[in-house]
Amino acid sequence: MPAIITLTRHIIEEQRKHPHATGEFTDLMNDVAFAAKLISYHTNKAGLMGVLGEAGTTNVQGEKVKNLDVFAHETMFKALDHGGHLCVMASEEEENAMEIPEQFPVGKYVILYDPLDGSSNIDANVSVGTIFSIYRRVSPDGRPGTLEDLLQPGHRQICAGYVVYGSSTMLVYTTGNGVHGFTLDPSYGEFVLSHPNIKTPKKGKIYSVNESNFDYWDQPLKNYISYVKQIDEASGRPLNSRYIGSMVSDFHRNLLYGGVYLYPANKQAPNGKLRLGYEANPLAFIVEQAGGRASDGKTRILDIKPKELHQRTPLFIGSETDVKMIEEFITGKKQQ
Ligand code: AHM
Ligand code: MG
């Protein structure tokens, strides 16, 4: 009988390769996985529990109903606040850095998360996801963490991952030693290794972008999109268009099948829409570990030094050849 590799076992075995590992990171990841299971459970039965809809309403018990993204935000915080592993957190749902409550000890790690990415799709039963990014603190130990801890460039991440709440729930993560995917077995509530060492194709067949923004884009991007739609068998064009509008799902599909996800700058959003710390950096770490590429069109995402917590960035992420091609268009090396 083949061994069932649970997420916990996988992390423990990975950590054994580090001579100075203390087990703290393993504990932290267990807390993240626990939060993911709670969010998965609530997402799956959202329609039944009356958790859909606008925050501010009450359910049959007279309790305040929370939007699922508020629920996910609080679930992550509460699962992670007491372990003693973190010194500060940040969430896409919260304007400021979130301190560890004073009754709990602080630790050496820092986490940023997008609790429920793609949440505008929830009411239509479309897959959504949680994204997280972990760093080692740079401020002195033993004190609350600072903004400096949260504003580190993405190449300093020690772990990044996402959970996609789809036809099944999957957690995908990297610690810089490949990308590994785990499927939640709902019968015994464990994440089980189902996709070891994920590698993304060097060249994809898919492009994912909100094309309704076409008229707001700069000419180089318009040229690229026209290019991928041209017929040219030799270079595998036209590409297929696939856009769910839920980035974790679009990213996950493209990671497995090969393709590129684009959220460019446009005239209405000069820095694009997506956030560097909560969305672009963690997915960039994962895609690079899977053999892909992520850039803002000119600069590698993981090399951008964040200046503020909710900083936005244009994002082109996916198969290496496709992202390089986009960079050629954006920098003017290629026009058609
Ligand atoms: P969110 O974090 O508020 O959910 O926004 C991010 C989402 C992505 O999941 C998705 O790809 C994108 O926004 C869709 O934006 P648009 O509707 O502009 O295409
Ligand atoms: Mg998001």
Side-chain angles (χ1 to χ4, degrees):
M1 187 178 119
I4 294 177
I5 313 275
T6 64
L7 176 65
T8 308
R9 172 172 172 178
H10 193 268
I11 294 165
I12 289 172
E13 290 180 351
E14 285 289 306
Q15 289 299 297
R16 264 190 213 134
K17 295 175 191 161
H18 299 275
H20 305 296
T22 59
E24 269 190 73
F25 176 73
T26 306
D27 288 347
L28 173 59
M29 282 298 289
N30 279 335
D31 291 344
V32 171
F34 177 59
K37 287 177 197 172
L38 286 175
I39 299 167
S40 173
Y41 174 76
H42 282 261
T43 307
N44 285 341
K45 58 189 284 190
L48 295 171
M49 293 176 66
V51 288
L52 291 182
E54 298 303 312
T57 53
T58 45
N59 65 16
V60 281
Q61 280 90 31
E63 296 158 348
K64 263 197 150 184
V65 171
K66 291 186 169 62
N67 267 344
L68 216 47
D69 43 6
V70 177
F71 172 83
H73 162 78
E74 290 180 357
T75 299
M76 284 291 278
F77 186 82
K78 285 182 186 153
L80 298 169
D81 68 353
H82 55 276
H85 314 304
L86 294 169
C87 62
V88 66
M89 299 188 232
S91 161
E92 197 193 281
E93 290 289 326
E94 177 71 43
E95 193 181 337
N96 299 312
M98 300 182 295
E99 292 180 5
I100 303 302
E102 20 172 78
Q103 67 268 36
F104 300 128
V106 291
K108 61 183 175 193
Y109 296 112
V110 179
I111 194 166
L112 295 94
Y113 59 85
D114 179 354
L116 214 55
D117 183 69
S119 53
S120 67
N121 291 306
I122 296 172
D123 287 357
N125 213 0
V126 171
S127 302
V128 289
T130 299
I131 313 174
F132 60 91
S133 163
I134 301 173
Y135 296 82
R136 207 162 270 123
R137 71 183 301 168
V138 287
S139 62
D141 285 339
R143 287 193 241 156
T146 64
L147 206 52
E148 195 196 351
D149 295 314
L150 292 163
L151 296 182
Q152 301 185 55
H155 65 79
R156 304 262 284 262
Q157 288 172 104
I158 60 154
C159 176
Y162 62 83
V163 188
V164 57
Y165 311 103
S167 47
S168 52
T169 293
M170 264 194 83
L171 187 152
V172 176
Y173 89 105
T174 183
T175 53
N177 191 17
V179 179
H180 310 285
F182 298 78
T183 302
L184 181 63
D185 188 319
S187 52
Y188 49 87
E190 283 285 355
F191 282 106
V192 175
L193 182 62
S194 52
H195 295 63
N197 207 15
I198 298 170
K199 291 291 172 206
T200 197
K202 283 286 167 205
K203 183 165 177 358
K205 271 295 289 173
I206 297 170
Y207 74 104
S208 308
V209 68
N210 185 345
E211 227 169 319
S212 69
N213 290 323
F214 193 90
D215 275 357
Y216 295 118
W217 292 337
D218 288 342
Q219 195 56 45
L221 197 81
K222 290 182 180 172
N223 293 345
Y224 173 75
I225 296 298
S226 303
Y227 168 84
V228 299
K229 293 199 276 199
Q230 288 159 8
I231 300 168
D232 179 44
E233 249 178 62
S235 61
R237 287 177 291 151
L239 300 187
N240 268 327
S241 167
R242 293 283 182 274
Y243 190 69
I244 299 170
S246 189
M247 184 174 53
V248 175
S249 310
D250 278 314
F251 176 84
H252 182 68
R253 181 205 52 237
N254 291 359
L255 185 73
L256 297 181
Y257 298 171
V260 63
Y261 173 95
L262 307 85
Y263 210 108
N266 65 56
K267 288 190 179 71
Q268 291 186 312
N271 294 314
K273 174 183 185 186
L274 301 172
R275 269 107 333 181
L276 179 61
Y278 312 110
E279 291 160 327
N281 270 335
L283 297 187
F285 188 18
I286 290 168
V287 88
E288 285 197 5
Q289 282 292 313
R293 188 176 176 94
S295 92
D296 71 357
K298 292 178 182 147
T299 307
R300 179 185 177 224
I301 290 291
L302 297 181
D303 285 338
I304 300 172
K305 172 82 183 90
K307 293 190 186 72
E308 53 185 273
L309 214 42
H310 294 271
Q311 185 167 328
R312 292 174 196 268
T313 178
L315 179 64
F316 307 100
I317 187 165
S319 294
E320 186 179 36
T321 308
D322 302 74
V323 176
K324 279 186 175 162
M325 181 64 80
I326 294 171
E327 289 168 340
E328 286 193 16
F329 273 90
I330 287 186
T331 54
K333 287 188 194 128
K334 195 164 166 57
Q335 268 97 39
Q336 55 183 346

